[in-house]
Amino acid sequence: MEKIDELPSPSETLQRSRFRKQRSKSDYLRARSLHGPSPTTTFGPKACIQKNPASIMHVQDPLSQRLTWNKPPLSVLIIKKIHECSVVQPFMDLVTWLVQEKRMVVYVEVSTLEDEMIADDSGFQPIKQKLNTFKEGTEDLSGRVDFIICLGGDGTLLWASSLFQGSVPPVMAFHMGSLGFLTPFEFDNFKSQVNHVLEGHAALTLRSRLKCVITDAECDSHINSIEKPKKIQVLNEVVIDRGPSPYLCHLDLYLEGRHVTSVQGDGLIVSTPTGSTAYAVAAGASMVHPNVPAIMVTPICPHSLSFRPIVVPAGVEIKVMVSPESRGSAWVSLDGRNRQEIKVGDSVRITTSEFPIPSICKLDQISDWFDSLAECLHWNVRRPQRAFNNNDGANGRVKDDSDCSIEA
Protein backbone atom coordinates (compact mmCIF):
# COMPACT_ATOMS: atom_id res chain seq x y z
CA MET A 1 0.00 0.00 0.00
CA GLU A 2 1.38 3.40 -1.03
CA LYS A 3 2.28 5.67 1.83
CA ILE A 4 0.44 8.99 1.90
CA ASP A 5 2.34 12.01 3.23
CA GLU A 6 0.76 13.56 6.27
CA LEU A 7 -0.55 17.11 5.97
CA PRO A 8 1.40 19.71 8.00
CA SER A 9 -0.17 21.01 11.16
CA PRO A 10 -1.47 24.63 11.24
CA SER A 11 1.53 25.73 13.32
CA GLU A 12 3.96 24.21 10.79
CA THR A 13 2.12 25.90 7.93
CA LEU A 14 2.38 29.28 9.66
CA GLN A 15 6.07 28.73 10.35
CA ARG A 16 6.78 27.82 6.71
CA SER A 17 4.85 30.87 5.51
CA ARG A 18 6.91 33.14 7.73
CA PHE A 19 10.11 31.55 6.47
CA ARG A 20 9.10 32.12 2.83
CA LYS A 21 8.29 35.76 3.55
CA GLN A 22 11.62 36.31 5.31
CA ARG A 23 13.51 34.60 2.51
CA SER A 24 11.80 36.64 -0.22
CA LYS A 25 12.41 39.84 1.74
CA SER A 26 16.09 39.05 2.22
CA ASP A 27 16.50 38.56 -1.51
CA TYR A 28 15.80 42.27 -2.01
CA LEU A 29 17.73 43.74 0.91
CA ARG A 30 19.81 46.73 -0.14
CA ALA A 31 23.49 46.99 0.76
CA ARG A 32 24.25 49.33 3.62
CA SER A 33 27.56 50.82 4.65
CA LEU A 34 28.91 49.98 8.09
CA HIS A 35 31.72 52.54 8.02
CA GLY A 36 31.77 55.86 9.81
CA PRO A 37 29.96 57.14 12.88
CA SER A 38 26.22 56.78 13.07
CA PRO A 39 24.67 60.21 12.40
CA THR A 40 22.07 61.61 14.73
CA THR A 41 18.51 60.87 13.65
CA THR A 42 16.93 63.87 15.36
CA PHE A 43 17.12 67.33 13.84
CA GLY A 44 16.18 70.28 16.00
CA PRO A 45 13.54 69.98 18.71
CA LYS A 46 10.81 68.18 16.72
CA ALA A 47 12.09 66.58 13.51
CA CYS A 48 13.53 63.10 13.10
CA ILE A 49 13.91 60.31 10.57
CA GLN A 50 11.10 57.84 10.31
CA LYS A 51 12.16 54.64 12.12
CA ASN A 52 13.36 51.84 9.89
CA PRO A 53 13.50 48.36 11.49
CA ALA A 54 15.73 47.09 8.68
CA SER A 55 18.56 49.49 9.50
CA ILE A 56 21.97 48.10 10.43
CA MET A 57 24.07 49.91 13.03
CA HIS A 58 21.73 52.90 12.61
CA VAL A 59 23.10 53.62 9.12
CA GLN A 60 19.96 53.53 7.01
CA ASP A 61 19.22 52.78 3.42
CA PRO A 62 19.22 56.28 1.83
CA LEU A 63 15.85 55.72 0.18
CA SER A 64 14.31 55.02 3.59
CA GLN A 65 15.42 58.40 4.98
CA ARG A 66 12.17 60.30 5.21
CA LEU A 67 11.19 63.20 7.42
CA THR A 68 8.61 62.85 10.14
CA TRP A 69 7.59 65.13 13.00
CA ASN A 70 7.26 64.16 16.65
CA LYS A 71 5.08 67.23 17.14
CA PRO A 72 3.65 69.77 14.66
CA PRO A 73 6.37 72.31 13.72
CA LEU A 74 5.63 75.79 15.04
CA SER A 75 8.79 77.80 14.34
CA VAL A 76 10.86 78.42 11.21
CA LEU A 77 14.13 80.19 10.46
CA ILE A 78 14.27 82.02 7.12
CA ILE A 79 17.69 82.77 5.63
CA LYS A 80 17.70 85.20 2.70
CA LYS A 81 20.49 85.84 0.23
CA ILE A 82 22.01 89.24 0.92
CA HIS A 83 22.58 91.99 -1.66
CA GLU A 84 20.01 90.48 -4.01
CA CYS A 85 16.96 92.61 -4.89
CA SER A 86 15.11 89.78 -6.64
CA VAL A 87 14.84 87.85 -3.36
CA VAL A 88 13.20 90.64 -1.35
CA GLN A 89 9.63 90.27 -2.62
CA PRO A 90 9.60 86.44 -2.38
CA PHE A 91 10.98 86.79 1.15
CA MET A 92 8.16 89.14 2.19
CA ASP A 93 5.52 86.94 0.51
CA LEU A 94 6.81 83.83 2.30
CA VAL A 95 7.04 85.53 5.70
CA THR A 96 3.57 87.05 5.38
CA TRP A 97 2.04 83.68 4.48
CA LEU A 98 3.79 81.86 7.34
CA VAL A 99 2.78 84.46 9.93
CA GLN A 100 -0.80 85.17 8.84
CA GLU A 101 -2.02 81.85 7.46
CA LYS A 102 0.22 79.22 9.09
CA ARG A 103 0.46 81.07 12.44
CA MET A 104 4.14 80.17 12.79
CA VAL A 105 6.89 81.80 14.81
CA VAL A 106 9.36 83.20 12.26
CA TYR A 107 13.04 83.93 12.99
CA VAL A 108 15.14 86.15 10.72
CA GLU A 109 18.52 87.82 10.97
CA VAL A 110 18.67 91.43 12.11
CA SER A 111 20.64 92.33 8.98
CA THR A 112 17.81 90.96 6.80
CA LEU A 113 15.31 93.49 8.15
CA GLU A 114 17.85 96.29 7.67
CA ASP A 115 17.58 95.88 3.90
CA GLU A 116 16.35 99.21 2.47
CA MET A 117 13.62 97.62 0.34
CA ILE A 118 12.23 95.77 3.38
CA ALA A 119 12.65 98.67 5.81
CA ASP A 120 10.91 101.13 3.45
CA ASP A 121 7.93 98.88 2.65
CA SER A 122 5.06 100.30 4.71
CA GLY A 123 2.77 97.35 3.99
CA PHE A 124 5.27 94.92 5.52
CA GLN A 125 5.67 96.80 8.82
CA PRO A 126 2.81 95.01 10.69
CA ILE A 127 4.36 91.65 9.80
CA LYS A 128 7.86 92.89 10.64
CA GLN A 129 6.81 93.64 14.21
CA LYS A 130 5.82 90.00 14.73
CA LEU A 131 9.18 88.56 13.67
CA ASN A 132 11.88 87.25 16.02
CA THR A 133 15.39 88.46 15.21
CA PHE A 134 18.88 87.26 16.08
CA LYS A 135 22.53 88.04 15.38
CA GLU A 136 25.14 85.51 14.40
CA GLY A 137 27.44 84.53 17.25
CA THR A 138 25.34 86.18 19.96
CA GLU A 139 22.37 83.83 20.20
CA ASP A 140 21.97 80.06 20.10
CA LEU A 141 19.02 78.94 17.97
CA SER A 142 19.29 75.28 18.96
CA GLY A 143 16.03 74.06 20.42
CA ARG A 144 14.07 77.08 19.19
CA VAL A 145 13.84 76.45 15.42
CA ASP A 146 11.85 73.51 14.03
CA PHE A 147 12.97 73.84 10.42
CA ILE A 148 14.86 76.18 8.07
CA ILE A 149 13.93 77.76 4.74
CA CYS A 150 16.71 79.18 2.58
CA LEU A 151 16.08 81.69 -0.21
CA GLY A 152 19.20 81.98 -2.32
CA GLY A 153 22.01 79.83 -3.67
CA ASP A 154 24.44 77.28 -2.32
CA GLY A 155 26.20 79.91 -0.22
CA THR A 156 22.95 80.59 1.64
CA LEU A 157 22.78 76.93 2.66
CA LEU A 158 26.42 77.03 3.79
CA TRP A 159 25.59 80.07 5.91
CA ALA A 160 22.64 78.26 7.49
CA SER A 161 24.94 75.33 8.30
CA SER A 162 27.40 77.62 10.07
CA LEU A 163 24.66 78.89 12.41
CA PHE A 164 24.22 75.42 13.93
CA GLN A 165 27.29 73.81 15.44
CA GLY A 166 25.22 70.95 16.88
CA SER A 167 21.98 69.33 15.74
CA VAL A 168 20.54 71.02 12.64
CA PRO A 169 16.80 71.30 11.87
CA PRO A 170 15.62 70.14 8.43
CA VAL A 171 16.56 72.56 5.64
CA MET A 172 14.34 73.42 2.68
CA ALA A 173 16.32 75.37 0.06
CA PHE A 174 14.73 77.42 -2.75
CA HIS A 175 16.81 78.12 -5.83
CA MET A 176 17.21 81.90 -6.06
CA GLY A 177 20.95 82.19 -6.50
CA SER A 178 23.57 81.63 -9.19
CA LEU A 179 24.33 77.90 -9.35
CA GLY A 180 21.74 76.18 -7.17
CA PHE A 181 23.34 72.75 -6.90
CA LEU A 182 22.10 72.34 -3.31
CA THR A 183 18.79 74.20 -3.77
CA PRO A 184 16.29 71.96 -5.61
CA PHE A 185 13.03 73.85 -4.99
CA GLU A 186 11.52 76.54 -7.23
CA PHE A 187 9.65 79.37 -5.55
CA ASP A 188 6.66 79.58 -7.92
CA ASN A 189 4.46 77.17 -5.94
CA PHE A 190 6.09 77.62 -2.54
CA LYS A 191 2.85 77.23 -0.57
CA SER A 192 2.09 73.69 -1.70
CA GLN A 193 5.73 72.65 -1.31
CA VAL A 194 6.04 74.02 2.23
CA ASN A 195 2.71 72.41 3.16
CA HIS A 196 4.04 69.07 1.91
CA VAL A 197 7.06 69.40 4.20
CA LEU A 198 4.93 70.43 7.18
CA GLU A 199 2.82 67.30 6.69
CA GLY A 200 5.97 65.16 7.05
CA HIS A 201 7.40 62.15 5.21
CA ALA A 202 9.39 64.20 2.68
CA ALA A 203 12.60 62.58 1.43
CA LEU A 204 15.81 63.63 3.19
CA THR A 205 19.44 63.68 2.13
CA LEU A 206 21.74 63.54 5.14
CA ARG A 207 24.69 65.67 4.08
CA SER A 208 27.62 64.79 6.32
CA ARG A 209 29.73 67.58 7.79
CA LEU A 210 33.33 67.72 8.97
CA LYS A 211 34.32 68.52 12.54
CA CYS A 212 37.49 70.60 12.55
CA VAL A 213 39.89 71.74 15.26
CA ILE A 214 42.86 74.02 14.61
CA THR A 215 45.69 73.52 17.10
CA ASP A 216 48.82 75.46 17.92
CA ALA A 217 52.26 73.86 17.61
CA GLU A 218 53.57 74.85 21.03
CA CYS A 219 50.72 74.38 23.51
CA ASP A 220 48.35 72.28 21.34
CA SER A 221 45.54 74.67 22.24
CA HIS A 222 42.88 76.01 19.94
CA ILE A 223 43.85 79.06 17.93
CA ASN A 224 41.59 82.10 18.47
CA SER A 225 39.46 80.06 20.89
CA ILE A 226 37.92 83.28 22.21
CA GLU A 227 36.47 84.23 18.83
CA LYS A 228 35.63 80.83 17.33
CA PRO A 229 34.13 77.60 18.69
CA LYS A 230 36.53 74.82 19.59
CA LYS A 231 35.01 72.46 17.05
CA ILE A 232 33.85 74.03 13.81
CA GLN A 233 31.30 72.22 11.62
CA VAL A 234 32.02 72.34 7.88
CA LEU A 235 29.59 71.31 5.15
CA ASN A 236 31.71 71.61 1.99
CA GLU A 237 35.44 71.56 2.58
CA VAL A 238 38.50 72.53 4.56
CA VAL A 239 41.13 74.18 2.36
CA ILE A 240 44.76 74.55 3.40
CA ASP A 241 46.74 76.57 0.84
CA ARG A 242 49.91 78.66 0.55
CA GLY A 243 48.02 81.95 0.61
CA PRO A 244 50.18 84.93 -0.47
CA SER A 245 53.44 82.99 -0.04
CA PRO A 246 55.49 82.49 -3.22
CA TYR A 247 56.79 79.15 -1.93
CA LEU A 248 55.33 75.68 -2.26
CA CYS A 249 52.87 74.70 0.45
CA HIS A 250 54.60 71.90 2.40
CA LEU A 251 52.11 69.89 4.46
CA ASP A 252 52.32 66.56 6.30
CA LEU A 253 49.22 64.37 6.00
CA TYR A 254 48.31 61.91 8.77
CA LEU A 255 45.46 59.36 8.90
CA GLU A 256 44.67 57.88 12.31
CA GLY A 257 48.03 59.07 13.58
CA ARG A 258 49.97 57.47 10.73
CA HIS A 259 52.02 59.67 8.42
CA VAL A 260 50.64 58.99 4.95
CA THR A 261 52.44 61.45 2.71
CA SER A 262 53.76 64.98 2.37
CA VAL A 263 52.02 67.51 0.17
CA GLN A 264 54.11 69.87 -1.92
CA GLY A 265 52.06 72.14 -4.12
CA ASP A 266 49.49 74.90 -3.79
CA GLY A 267 47.61 73.15 -1.00
CA LEU A 268 45.13 70.46 -0.01
CA ILE A 269 41.33 70.13 0.02
CA VAL A 270 39.59 67.89 2.57
CA SER A 271 35.94 67.70 1.58
CA THR A 272 32.67 65.97 2.28
CA PRO A 273 30.73 64.19 -0.50
CA THR A 274 28.60 67.35 -0.72
CA GLY A 275 31.77 69.38 -1.22
CA SER A 276 33.05 66.99 -3.88
CA THR A 277 31.07 68.97 -6.49
CA ALA A 278 32.51 72.32 -5.31
CA TYR A 279 36.21 73.27 -5.14
CA ALA A 280 37.32 69.63 -5.11
CA VAL A 281 35.86 68.77 -8.52
CA ALA A 282 37.64 71.79 -10.00
CA ALA A 283 40.89 70.35 -8.61
CA GLY A 284 40.28 66.95 -10.23
CA ALA A 285 38.37 64.99 -7.59
CA SER A 286 35.53 62.60 -8.37
CA MET A 287 31.94 63.65 -7.77
CA VAL A 288 30.56 61.58 -4.88
CA HIS A 289 26.91 61.20 -3.92
CA PRO A 290 26.20 62.83 -0.53
CA ASN A 291 24.91 59.57 0.95
CA VAL A 292 28.30 57.88 0.51
CA PRO A 293 30.10 57.78 3.91
CA ALA A 294 33.49 59.12 2.87
CA ILE A 295 35.99 61.98 3.06
CA MET A 296 37.78 63.23 -0.05
CA VAL A 297 41.42 64.33 0.07
CA THR A 298 42.41 66.31 -3.02
CA PRO A 299 45.75 68.05 -3.70
CA ILE A 300 45.75 71.51 -5.29
CA CYS A 301 48.26 71.69 -8.16
CA PRO A 302 50.69 69.16 -6.63
CA HIS A 303 54.29 69.28 -7.84
CA SER A 304 54.12 65.56 -8.52
CA LEU A 305 52.68 63.70 -11.51
CA SER A 306 51.59 60.73 -9.36
CA PHE A 307 49.70 62.53 -6.59
CA ARG A 308 46.06 61.71 -7.32
CA PRO A 309 42.95 62.50 -5.21
CA ILE A 310 41.96 59.79 -2.72
CA VAL A 311 38.79 58.80 -0.87
CA VAL A 312 39.01 57.57 2.74
CA PRO A 313 36.31 56.11 5.01
CA ALA A 314 34.13 58.49 6.97
CA GLY A 315 35.08 58.58 10.63
CA VAL A 316 38.85 58.43 10.30
CA GLU A 317 40.77 61.29 11.88
CA ILE A 318 42.79 63.33 9.40
CA LYS A 319 45.57 65.60 10.56
CA VAL A 320 47.14 68.16 8.24
CA MET A 321 50.26 69.82 9.71
CA VAL A 322 52.48 72.55 8.28
CA SER A 323 55.72 70.64 7.87
CA PRO A 324 58.74 71.61 10.00
CA GLU A 325 60.63 71.79 6.69
CA SER A 326 58.17 74.27 5.19
CA ARG A 327 59.65 77.56 3.99
CA GLY A 328 56.59 79.52 5.04
CA SER A 329 53.23 79.39 6.72
CA ALA A 330 49.92 78.22 5.25
CA TRP A 331 46.35 79.48 5.33
CA VAL A 332 43.21 77.54 6.24
CA SER A 333 39.60 78.35 5.38
CA LEU A 334 36.43 76.51 6.40
CA ASP A 335 33.62 76.58 3.86
CA GLY A 336 35.23 79.72 2.45
CA ARG A 337 35.07 81.49 5.84
CA ASN A 338 37.12 81.84 9.03
CA ARG A 339 40.31 82.17 6.98
CA GLN A 340 43.39 82.32 9.17
CA GLU A 341 47.11 81.74 9.02
CA ILE A 342 48.68 78.59 10.44
CA LYS A 343 52.43 78.54 11.00
CA VAL A 344 55.06 75.81 10.97
CA GLY A 345 54.01 73.02 13.32
CA ASP A 346 50.36 74.12 13.53
CA SER A 347 47.81 71.54 12.46
CA VAL A 348 44.19 71.01 11.50
CA ARG A 349 42.41 67.90 12.80
CA ILE A 350 39.42 66.77 10.77
CA THR A 351 36.90 63.97 11.13
CA THR A 352 33.28 63.27 10.22
CA SER A 353 30.79 65.12 12.38
CA GLU A 354 27.91 63.35 14.09
CA PHE A 355 25.63 66.26 13.12
CA PRO A 356 24.74 66.11 9.40
CA ILE A 357 22.59 68.56 7.48
CA PRO A 358 19.12 67.05 6.84
CA SER A 359 18.48 68.51 3.40
CA ILE A 360 14.87 68.15 2.20
CA CYS A 361 14.59 66.66 -1.29
CA LYS A 362 12.30 67.86 -4.04
CA LEU A 363 11.85 64.34 -5.46
CA ASP A 364 14.30 61.89 -3.86
CA GLN A 365 18.00 61.50 -3.06
CA ILE A 366 18.97 60.04 -6.43
CA SER A 367 16.83 62.17 -8.76
CA ASP A 368 17.75 65.46 -7.10
CA TRP A 369 21.48 64.78 -7.30
CA PHE A 370 21.54 63.74 -10.95
CA ASP A 371 19.21 66.60 -11.89
CA SER A 372 21.71 68.99 -10.28
CA LEU A 373 24.61 67.38 -12.15
CA ALA A 374 22.79 67.80 -15.45
CA GLU A 375 21.31 71.27 -14.93
CA CYS A 376 24.10 72.99 -12.98
CA LEU A 377 27.30 71.30 -14.15
CA HIS A 378 26.06 70.00 -17.55
CA TRP A 379 27.55 66.63 -16.68
CA ASN A 380 28.34 64.46 -19.73
CA VAL A 381 26.69 66.84 -22.16
CA ARG A 382 27.70 65.80 -25.67
CA ARG A 383 26.29 65.87 -29.14
CA PRO A 384 25.03 62.28 -29.72
CA GLN A 385 26.75 60.12 -32.30
CA ARG A 386 24.60 59.57 -35.37
CA ALA A 387 23.47 56.07 -36.25
CA PHE A 388 24.46 54.32 -39.49
CA ASN A 389 22.24 54.92 -42.51
CA ASN A 390 21.07 52.35 -45.05
CA ASN A 391 22.35 49.43 -42.96
CA ASP A 392 25.96 50.35 -43.79
CA GLY A 393 27.09 49.47 -40.28
CA ALA A 394 25.34 46.11 -40.40
CA ASN A 395 27.18 45.21 -43.63
CA GLY A 396 30.52 46.05 -42.12
CA ARG A 397 30.98 49.02 -44.47
CA VAL A 398 31.67 52.47 -43.14
CA LYS A 399 31.10 55.43 -45.40
CA ASP A 400 33.93 57.81 -46.09
CA ASP A 401 33.75 61.30 -47.47
CA SER A 402 33.83 60.04 -51.05
CA ASP A 403 30.47 58.32 -50.56
CA CYS A 404 28.72 61.63 -49.85
CA SER A 405 27.81 64.03 -52.57
CA ILE A 406 27.00 67.67 -52.02
CA GLU A 407 24.65 69.36 -54.39
CA ALA A 408 25.11 73.04 -55.17
Side-chain angles (χ1 to χ4, degrees):
M1 183 176 179
E2 185 179 358
K3 182 179 180 180
I4 301 177
D5 294 336
E6 296 181 357
L7 294 176
S9 64
S11 60
E12 293 176 343
T13 303
L14 180 60
Q15 186 176 4
R16 292 178 183 180
S17 176
R18 288 177 178 175
F19 176 76
R20 285 193 296 268
K21 289 181 180 180
Q22 292 175 357
R23 183 178 60 180
S24 60
K25 183 178 180 180
S26 64
D27 291 339
Y28 298 97
L29 284 178
R30 297 172 60 89
R32 296 169 177 83
S33 173
L34 301 182
H35 297 289
S38 300
T40 57
T41 56
T42 57
F43 313 107
K46 297 176 182 175
C48 63
I49 286 184
Q50 187 173 357
K51 291 184 178 181
N52 177 21
S55 63
I56 300 177
M57 291 181 61
H58 305 289
V59 180
Q60 292 187 321
D61 175 1
L63 294 182
S64 71
Q65 295 172 354
R66 306 193 69 85
L67 173 67
T68 187
W69 301 100
N70 296 325
K71 297 179 181 179
L74 301 177
S75 60
V76 56
L77 168 65
I78 300 181
I79 304 293
K80 181 187 78 68
K81 182 180 181 180
I82 61 174
H83 309 308
E84 182 61 50
C85 297
S86 62
V87 184
V88 173
Q89 189 59 50
F91 167 79
M92 293 191 293
D93 292 342
L94 174 63
V95 170
T96 302
W97 177 71
L98 289 171
V99 171
Q100 290 185 341
E101 295 189 28
K102 306 305 291 185
R103 306 293 182 183
M104 299 196 72
V105 178
V106 178
Y107 290 85
V108 296
E109 293 181 275
V110 172
S111 58
T112 299
L113 299 182
E114 294 174 349
D115 188 293
E116 292 184 1
M117 294 182 65
I118 297 177
D120 297 340
D121 193 307
S122 58
F124 188 68
Q125 297 308 311
I127 300 296
K128 181 179 176 181
Q129 297 176 359
K130 299 179 180 180
L131 302 180
N132 294 270
T133 59
F134 74 97
K135 289 185 178 181
E136 183 208 9
T138 60
E139 298 181 56
D140 185 11
L141 296 176
S142 302
R144 291 193 286 170
V145 175
D146 293 335
F147 76 109
I148 305 170
I149 296 179
C150 293
L151 303 178
D154 296 346
T156 309
L157 182 59
L158 293 176
W159 174 255
S161 170
S162 69
L163 297 176
F164 294 85
Q165 294 300 306
S167 178
V168 186
V171 182
M172 184 179 189
F174 286 92
H175 174 38
M176 306 187 75
S178 301
L179 186 62
F181 194 92
L182 306 178
T183 55
F185 291 95
E186 299 294 335
F187 193 77
D188 295 338
N189 56 341
F190 74 91
K191 294 183 180 180
S192 61
Q193 295 182 101
V194 173
N195 279 328
H196 177 69
V197 172
L198 295 178
E199 292 170 359
H201 304 297
L204 282 178
T205 295
L206 295 186
R207 300 186 179 275
S208 63
R209 295 196 290 178
L210 299 176
K211 180 170 59 178
C212 311
V213 178
I214 304 174
T215 57
D216 183 86
E218 296 180 357
C219 57
D220 200 38
S221 62
H222 188 267
I223 298 177
N224 296 338
S225 59
I226 298 178
E227 301 178 3
K228 297 180 177 63
K230 293 183 179 180
K231 297 177 181 178
I232 304 176
Q233 306 287 329
V234 176
L235 176 58
N236 261 1
E237 73 275 302
V238 179
V239 178
I240 303 101
D241 58 52
R242 62 189 179 96
S245 173
Y247 303 111
L248 286 174
C249 189
H250 193 170
L251 307 171
D252 289 332
L253 177 64
Y254 295 83
L255 260 68
E256 294 294 335
R258 178 183 185 275
H259 182 261
V260 176
T261 189
S262 293
V263 181
Q264 297 183 82
D266 281 353
L268 192 70
I269 304 170
V270 181
S271 62
T272 64
T274 295
S276 70
T277 51
Y279 192 0
V281 73
S286 295
M287 296 182 292
V288 181
H289 191 277
N291 275 116
V292 177
I295 300 176
M296 275 59 67
V297 180
T298 307
I300 307 173
C301 298
H303 200 251
S304 169
L305 297 179
S306 59
F307 195 171
R308 307 305 303 161
I310 60 174
V311 179
V312 298
V316 301
E317 184 184 72
I318 298 174
K319 176 184 173 182
V320 182
M321 184 180 70
V322 181
S323 174
E325 301 178 359
S326 177
R327 294 186 177 184
S329 60
W331 288 77
V332 59
S333 60
L334 313 172
D335 276 345
R337 303 175 67 240
N338 302 318
R339 187 167 174 83
Q340 58 185 287
E341 184 180 13
I342 53 176
K343 299 181 180 180
V344 173
D346 295 347
S347 61
V348 185
R349 296 179 182 272
I350 306 165
T351 189
T352 303
S353 169
E354 63 269 31
F355 300 110
I357 295 289
S359 180
I360 299 174
C361 301
K362 181 180 180 181
L363 297 175
D364 57 65
Q365 297 89 341
I366 303 300
S367 300
D368 282 14
W369 193 67
F370 278 100
D371 287 346
S372 294
L373 289 181
E375 295 174 9
C376 300
L377 300 182
H378 301 289
W379 177 61
N380 198 29
V381 173
R382 180 191 185 276
R383 180 179 296 177
Q385 185 181 43
R386 291 180 296 180
F388 288 118
N389 295 324
N390 302 325
N391 296 325
D392 289 329
N395 296 329
R397 177 173 178 267
V398 180
K399 287 186 177 181
D400 56 22
D401 293 340
S402 62
D403 293 330
C404 303
S405 61
I406 302 177
E407 297 181 1

